[in-house]
Amino acid sequence: MVVVTGQNKVSATPDDAMSSSDAEDDFQEPATPTATQAGQALPLLPQQFPEVVPLNVGGMFFTTRLSTLRRYEDTMLAAMFSGRHYIPTDAEGRYFIDRDGTYFGDILNFLRSGDLPPRERVRSVYKEAQYYSIGPLLDNLEDIQPLKGEKVRQAFLGLMPYYKDHLERIIEIAKLRAMQRKARFAKLKVCVFKEEMPITPYECPHFNSLRFERSESETKLFEHHCEVDVSFGPWEAVADVYDLLHCIVTDLSARGITVEHQCIGVCDKHLINHYYCKRPIYEFKITWW
């Protein structure tokens, strides 16, 4: 007979038992965050602005009312000075905007009283208004010269989807030829034609009617590429060849490129029967220095 004298006590061996230090590691409470960690976790308080705001815009100093900067809600200035974003200050305590301040006075004048800049500064102020997203100012500037005329010009250029690509080709060809010849200028041939069909003495009186009466197969007989470097056209608009030439020269000049051009004849390629191409060919001279 087996006599049970008491409950057996299990003694733990060093390999089976958990040390007191291990137990403490498993059950220790999270460490208290440091001051730095706590500061990072706390949200930044909204920035407070005075009623009269001193500004440093790219090194130029301005002073205006806070309500002026918040005149239109959907602008960048209104967002910057809403208190939701932090704006650094310079050594004198002025709020710093890292932007050229040359035309910022024109921006403030519009926000204050709706004044528009003089014509010679319209383009530059328009660029600044785009940066600050001031929609009402953009709308006003687009309705005066020279921007109003530019909208009309761009509508005409929109008829030629490869216009900008052709401008780039003119520049690249001229640069390559000047570098190859170690020359100060380069010349290239440019064809600018408004009408798609060739002109002959027989067609001139009835050109507008005849050009739509040809069948597709007959039209292909007149398709060809003039022996020029770049070709512009055709297009359907009142603006003529001289208008497009003016656009080409204007846009090249705006990029600092000196360009001269003159008509040197027409394409005399014989197509079929009495039809010849007769598209005008212009020589462009681009001077690099």
Side-chain angles (χ1 to χ4, degrees):
M1 182 175 66
V2 178
V3 179
V4 178
T5 60
Q7 294 180 346
N8 294 330
K9 294 183 179 180
V10 179
S11 61
T13 64
D15 293 337
D16 297 331
M18 179 185 297
S19 66
S20 60
S21 61
D22 291 339
E24 291 175 358
D25 290 343
D26 283 348
F27 296 98
Q28 64 183 352
E29 295 181 357
T32 303
T34 64
T36 303
Q37 293 172 334
Q40 291 176 347
L42 293 175
L44 294 175
L45 295 175
Q47 190 173 13
Q48 301 296 322
F49 299 101
E51 182 61 28
V52 178
V53 182
L55 298 170
N56 178 346
V57 184
M60 299 183 68
F61 307 140
F62 303 89
T63 304
T64 188
R65 293 175 63 91
L66 181 61
S67 58
T68 299
L69 297 172
R70 296 175 176 176
R71 176 79 64 189
Y72 299 103
E73 294 182 357
D74 296 333
T75 67
M76 181 185 291
L77 287 173
M80 291 172 65
F81 289 91
S82 64
R84 300 190 303 269
H85 308 281
Y86 176 75
I87 303 178
T89 57
D90 63 12
E92 302 298 327
R94 305 181 188 93
Y95 295 97
F96 181 72
I97 299 177
D98 194 10
R99 183 75 176 176
D100 188 351
T102 303
Y103 302 101
F104 191 75
D106 293 298
I107 298 292
L108 286 181
N109 287 336
F110 176 79
L111 294 177
R112 289 166 177 154
S113 55
D115 293 342
L116 297 177
R119 180 173 178 176
E120 62 271 15
R121 295 208 299 268
V122 165
R123 292 183 185 275
S124 299
V125 175
Y126 186 83
K127 183 178 180 180
E128 294 303 296
Q130 287 180 312
Y131 176 79
Y132 293 111
S133 301
I134 306 177
L137 178 54
L138 292 172
D139 293 339
N140 277 272
L141 293 177
E142 288 175 355
D143 283 337
I144 62 177
Q145 289 286 54
L147 294 183
K148 190 169 186 177
E150 181 62 19
K151 290 178 66 175
V152 177
R153 190 177 82 97
Q154 290 300 327
F156 161 56
L157 294 179
L159 299 174
M160 286 160 283
Y162 301 107
Y163 175 77
K164 292 183 178 180
D165 294 335
H166 292 339
L167 286 183
E168 293 297 331
R169 182 168 174 78
I170 289 176
I171 296 172
E172 289 301 318
I173 292 175
K175 181 177 70 173
L176 180 61
R177 289 180 181 173
M179 293 180 66
Q180 288 176 339
R181 301 172 184 176
K182 309 299 187 291
R184 188 166 64 91
F185 60 86
K187 295 181 179 179
L188 61 159
K189 293 181 180 180
V190 178
C191 177
V192 181
F193 64 101
K194 180 179 179 180
E195 306 293 351
E196 185 174 7
M197 296 300 179
I199 298 177
T200 69
Y202 304 100
E203 284 193 283
C204 284
H206 309 287
F207 184 81
N208 288 332
S209 60
L210 289 177
R211 67 189 301 269
F212 293 105
E213 292 175 0
R214 294 195 180 103
S215 65
E216 183 177 351
S217 60
E218 291 174 329
T219 300
K220 290 182 178 180
L221 295 175
F222 299 98
E223 293 180 354
H224 81 289
H225 298 285
C226 302
E227 295 180 359
V228 295
D229 298 298
V230 183
S231 184
F232 292 85
W235 66 88
E236 292 283 347
V238 175
D240 58 20
V241 169
Y242 298 102
D243 296 321
L244 183 56
L245 285 171
H246 180 271
C247 291
I248 296 172
V249 174
T250 298
D251 290 334
L252 290 176
S253 299
R255 299 180 59 172
I257 297 175
T258 302
V259 55
E260 302 174 15
H261 65 87
Q262 61 176 346
C263 184
I264 58 175
V266 296
C267 176
D268 58 358
K269 182 175 179 59
H270 176 251
L271 301 178
I272 185 174
N273 297 333
H274 300 289
Y275 296 102
Y276 294 82
C277 176
K278 302 300 181 183
R279 294 171 180 170
I281 307 297
Y282 294 85
E283 180 184 74
F284 274 55
K285 177 182 178 182
I286 294 180
T287 304
W288 291 105
W289 81 85

